[in-house]
Amino acid sequence: MAKMQYAQGSFTHETQELIIRSTMTKDSRLKALVEAYFCPEDYFALRERMIGSGAIGGKACGMLLARKIAETELPEYAEHDEPHDSFFIGSDVFYTYIVSNGAWKLRIRQRSPEGYFSAAGQLREHLLHGVFPEKIQDRFVDVLEYFGQNPFIVRSSSFLEDGFGNAFAGKYESVFCVNQGSPEQRLEAFEQAVRQVYASTMDISALEYRRVRGLDKKDEQMAILVQRVSGSYYGEYFMPCAAGVGYSHSAYKWMPDMDPGAGMLRIVMGLGTKAVDRTKEDYPRLANLDRPGVTMLTTIEQKHKYSQRYIDLLDCGSNRLAEVSLDTLLPALPLWYKKMVLQRDNAAEARLREIGRFREVWFVSCQKLLETESFTSLMQKLLKTLERVYGNPVDIEFAVNLDAEGDFVVNLLQCRPLYQNKSLENIDLQSLNLKRVFFDIVDSAMGTSCKRRMDVVVQIDPLLYYRYPYQKKYQVVQAVERINDFYKGSNKNLLLITPGRVGTSSPELGVPVTFRSISNFSAVCEVSDSRAGYMPELSYGSHMFQDLVEAQILYGAVYNDRRTLSYHPDLFQDLPDRFGQICPDCPELAKMIQVRETDGLYFWLDSLSNHAVCGFDG
């Protein structure tokens, strides 16, 4: 009807309001931005790409809005914009799917306080194994015919995602469809990807996140964003040249003279999944946009050691998302690509020559790309423009594709407001006169300036965790969850001291907790230990970091270097250990995990100087 009215020269404000509220967003701040930047043709183009009715959800709305802002406010963006090629499965299809598979009563039961967690598993199974109505299947076939055999990704785009104050980072599934094989195989893979996204609404971490954020009573309908994957073929492999996340304001200052307001990038080679997930021994490149080519690592050996060793990509030969070592991928890469994203380790090559072996040694650094002023300048302008228009810091997800001449295009995949804690204050930590100090660290903390009481300290012994059998390490996660739940609603602030990387998916690198496991903690501190080989990784840009920031969980890292001024892990040995009371059936973990309640312990953080202290106040 709106299209017919527009063809006759009429498009009222009421019509626009109705379209935005029913199709795009009910958030008043986002609605005002959509009204300011969208024209009638934008709404009509969106409708032509929709499957079913309802809203397109927060992630899709944020992506489209950010692109319109960039096109309008930043003329140079047009020269480097890679257009999105997306379809939108409306939120009503989620309800249609539930009803047509006889799960509506179960959905109602799960929405009740008593069924919120208990009915979630059963509903999840229904969502994973349902059948789509024939009309929806026909539209799925249309999408597949449009994409041909080009890869695409099926992404969650729920009502509550990517709004002001609730990012839902990493809570719901995103599923790559490599899109190879017969039409029947490709359709089944597409349908199963949609099922997985729907089922992820019942994931325990997502439910816990909504509960902590006070959103458990709100209706969470799942729309879906189907995006063509940005990238090129390298032999049978498909991937973008680089990808990552960008922040218009950095809450983490890793150099004293760094400007957090300049924005920062967390960038990787290949698919951007490596930029947001903390896996194996991979280290994304962090670049602050006041000096993007500068790194805190000083030698080639350090740069190589703390680099990305595995590349996430789509393997079209085996029709799957794959993780491939850089050495495996190198033969498929042209020299111009290597020079832009990789770097030679001359010292390693020299050592090999000494023993009669002659070969090139490359590692991922993205150095040449970050030294390309036209790229980093555009990214900074893009981030600051979005921040100005949103009236709030933002974070984005992006992919970058290059050619042999060095020209580049940026695909803006996602944009959301970054959570802000307004209660900033400057704290002079030099004036503290503490009786006993637990830790004193610089240049290795995240969060806003504060003084916070710590009532309970949970310590995981690095060496005992390292020696614990690999197949049993998830027992440690379960124990942390029980401690987390034990103190739920107690008004006590919990501090977790954990070895290695918090939230890693690789148990040998740290305790693989999820947000569900630590949702009631007030602070998390990663500890390095040379005896076990554990090394913290500052989480900035990862999904775990988003959880910590939004939940206002303070973060610190205790390194074995100049960043740790003091650390006394045995400070609480004289206090009673409550682990046996909380987890009486886990005697094998009793020495590894210690739970001690304290009196007068505080965590101070001065974000301006990136200095954090934890100790007893007077």
Side-chain angles (χ1 to χ4, degrees):
M1 288 174 62
K3 200 170 182 180
M4 289 171 59
Q5 289 175 11
Y6 185 65
Q8 296 167 5
S10 170
F11 192 81
T12 66
H13 182 260
E14 290 72 20
T15 297
Q16 184 181 32
E17 281 258 319
L18 183 57
I19 289 175
I20 294 172
R21 284 184 60 80
S22 62
T23 306
M24 302 199 70
T25 182
K26 292 180 173 66
D27 184 300
S28 59
R29 293 171 70 179
L30 289 174
K31 189 164 73 70
L33 292 175
V34 173
E35 284 181 357
Y37 286 93
F38 273 60
C39 63
E41 288 87 353
D42 296 320
Y43 303 121
F44 304 148
L46 167 62
R47 190 67 191 90
E48 289 172 0
R49 287 295 187 103
M50 277 190 71
I51 297 172
S53 59
I56 61 172
K59 188 173 291 177
C61 180
M63 182 269 290
L64 294 174
L65 176 59
R67 285 175 167 274
K68 287 297 295 183
I69 292 170
E71 291 166 11
T72 307
E73 303 285 343
L74 202 59
E76 57 264 52
Y77 173 77
E79 301 172 33
H80 301 284
D81 173 33
E82 180 180 20
H84 80 92
D85 197 358
S86 308
F87 288 86
F88 311 91
I89 302 177
S91 57
D92 287 353
V93 177
F94 179 59
Y95 276 173
T96 301
Y97 178 73
I98 292 174
V99 171
S100 64
N101 286 281
W104 187 254
K105 287 184 179 178
L106 181 58
R107 163 79 174 175
I108 296 300
R109 181 151 61 87
Q110 189 276 324
R111 293 290 310 282
S112 68
E114 59 276 9
Y116 185 68
F117 286 110
S118 62
Q122 191 180 350
L123 180 54
R124 187 178 188 279
E125 287 303 305
H126 274 74
L127 294 172
L128 272 175
H129 300 102
V131 177
F132 288 94
E134 188 176 341
K135 286 185 178 179
I136 299 299
Q137 279 189 327
D138 290 344
R139 292 303 313 278
F140 286 176
V141 170
D142 293 341
V143 171
L144 290 173
E145 288 177 351
Y146 174 84
F147 281 134
Q149 290 194 296
N150 290 296
F152 59 89
I153 182 171
V154 177
R155 308 184 71 190
S156 66
S157 183
S158 78
F159 272 13
L160 301 176
E161 273 186 278
D162 292 5
F164 284 90
N166 302 298
F168 280 81
K171 293 293 167 293
Y172 300 137
E173 288 271 7
S174 291
V175 183
F176 285 97
C177 289
V178 186
N179 201 21
Q180 307 297 301
S182 68
E184 293 77 19
Q185 290 171 325
R186 288 159 49 217
L187 177 60
E188 175 52 34
F190 183 16
E191 289 185 350
Q192 190 55 31
V194 176
R195 292 186 192 104
Q196 281 181 244
V197 175
Y198 283 169
S200 68
T201 59
M202 293 297 107
D203 183 85
I204 294 299
S205 257
L207 294 171
E208 181 70 7
Y209 177 91
R210 277 153 47 191
R211 185 194 66 78
V212 170
R213 305 296 294 165
L215 302 171
D216 47 321
K217 303 290 191 299
K218 290 200 171 185
D219 189 19
E220 178 67 318
Q221 265 182 273
M222 180 60 74
I224 287 179
L225 171 60
V226 182
Q227 289 179 300
R228 183 192 295 269
V229 177
S230 173
S232 302
Y233 288 95
Y234 300 92
E236 289 194 328
Y237 299 134
F238 186 90
M239 65 179 188
C241 291
V245 292
Y247 285 76
S248 65
H249 189 278
S250 172
Y252 168 50
K253 199 176 173 183
W254 67 80
M255 287 182 170
D257 56 347
M258 202 182 90
D259 176 15
M264 63 86 68
L265 304 179
R266 180 179 170 105
I267 192 167
V268 297
M269 176 181 174
L271 295 171
T273 44
K274 280 281 187 234
V276 294
D277 297 327
R278 314 181 74 197
T279 57
K280 295 193 177 176
E281 60 266 47
D282 291 307
Y283 293 84
R285 175 67 184 271
L286 294 183
N288 211 69
L289 290 172
D290 56 349
R291 289 180 297 161
V294 175
T295 170
M296 61 183 129
L297 306 173
T298 54
T299 67
I300 287 291
E301 184 179 14
Q302 285 179 331
K303 292 174 182 177
H304 191 166
K305 182 178 180 180
Y306 299 111
S307 66
Q308 179 188 357
R309 285 171 163 68
Y310 292 86
I311 316 302
D312 281 353
L313 44 72
L314 302 180
D315 185 337
C316 297
S318 59
N319 195 24
R320 65 188 178 93
L321 171 66
E323 182 186 58
V324 174
S325 71
L326 178 60
D327 288 343
T328 301
L329 184 57
L330 279 173
L333 302 178
L335 182 60
W336 63 263
Y337 179 94
K338 294 178 183 177
K339 288 181 176 179
M340 286 299 292
V341 179
L342 307 179
Q343 198 169 339
R344 294 272 292 275
D345 187 338
N346 299 317
E349 290 176 359
R351 288 194 296 272
L352 287 172
R353 282 196 297 271
E354 289 174 3
I355 58 173
R357 296 174 62 187
F358 300 88
R359 73 178 183 90
E360 295 178 348
V361 179
W362 296 87
F363 65 93
V364 180
S365 71
C366 297
Q367 186 65 31
K368 189 72 180 294
L369 177 60
L370 292 171
E371 290 174 353
T372 304
E373 200 274 336
S374 56
F375 168 67
T376 54
S377 174
L378 177 69
M379 295 306 291
Q380 185 176 42
K381 289 178 181 176
L382 175 61
L383 286 165
K384 300 317 287 184
T385 298
L386 292 170
E387 178 182 69
R388 173 178 58 81
V389 174
Y390 269 76
N392 193 93
V394 299
D395 77 279
I396 63 172
E397 291 184 14
F398 64 91
V400 185
N401 289 293
L402 305 152
D403 64 18
E405 284 69 48
D407 293 329
F408 68 90
V409 290
V410 174
N411 197 318
L412 183 54
L413 303 172
Q414 185 174 338
C415 177
R416 58 190 166 209
L418 185 60
Y419 176 81
Q420 276 187 302
N421 185 350
K422 304 292 186 182
S423 57
L424 276 172
E425 53 179 310
N426 293 324
I427 297 178
D428 181 13
L429 299 188
Q430 304 300 326
S431 64
L432 292 177
N433 185 23
L434 302 183
K435 301 242 182 207
R436 290 173 293 164
V437 173
F438 183 31
F439 60 75
D440 189 346
I441 56 178
V442 294
D443 297 335
S444 57
M446 293 188 301
T448 54
S449 296
C450 68
K451 173 185 178 181
R452 191 176 298 176
R453 190 188 74 252
M454 292 294 143
D455 306 294
V456 183
V457 179
V458 181
Q459 290 177 272
I460 302 174
D461 185 278
L463 199 56
L464 293 179
Y465 177 76
Y466 174 72
R467 291 172 176 169
Y468 204 58
Y470 181 88
Q471 64 271 23
K472 294 185 176 181
K473 288 188 188 292
Y474 278 93
Q475 293 176 3
V476 180
V477 177
Q478 293 166 3
V480 172
E481 285 183 4
R482 288 173 67 175
I483 297 166
N484 181 76
D485 293 345
F486 179 82
Y487 284 101
K488 185 185 294 184
S490 67
N491 291 322
K492 291 184 182 294
N493 291 327
L494 278 66
L495 167 62
L496 176 64
I497 306 296
T498 181
R501 306 184 196 180
V502 67
T504 178
S505 61
S506 305
E508 71 276 14
L509 299 179
V511 183
V513 295
T514 63
F515 178 73
R516 156 76 182 93
S517 313
I518 60 171
S519 58
N520 294 301
F521 279 78
S522 295
V524 173
C525 191
E526 296 176 345
V527 178
S528 63
D529 193 301
S530 56
R531 298 170 301 171
Y534 290 121
M535 176 64 70
E537 182 200 8
L538 290 165
S539 308
Y540 204 95
S542 69
H543 285 151
M544 179 60 78
F545 164 77
Q546 285 282 64
D547 292 335
L548 299 180
V549 169
E550 290 187 10
Q552 299 183 49
I553 298 173
L554 300 171
Y555 169 89
V558 174
Y559 289 94
N560 293 324
D561 59 25
R562 56 115 195 139
R563 288 170 285 188
T564 300
L565 304 181
S566 65
Y567 176 48
H568 301 100
D570 298 328
L571 183 63
F572 312 106
Q573 289 305 307
D574 294 337
L575 296 175
D577 181 3
R578 297 202 62 192
F579 180 77
Q581 296 172 257
I582 300 170
C583 300
D585 53 343
C586 303
E588 67 279 9
L589 298 176
K591 290 185 179 178
M592 183 197 308
I593 306 174
Q594 298 169 352
V595 182
R596 292 188 168 90
E597 297 185 359
T598 66
D599 185 18
L601 183 71
Y602 284 86
F603 189 126
W604 288 266
L605 172 61
D606 178 27
S607 60
L608 195 63
S609 62
N610 199 354
H611 185 187
V613 177
C614 184
F616 286 96
D617 185 14

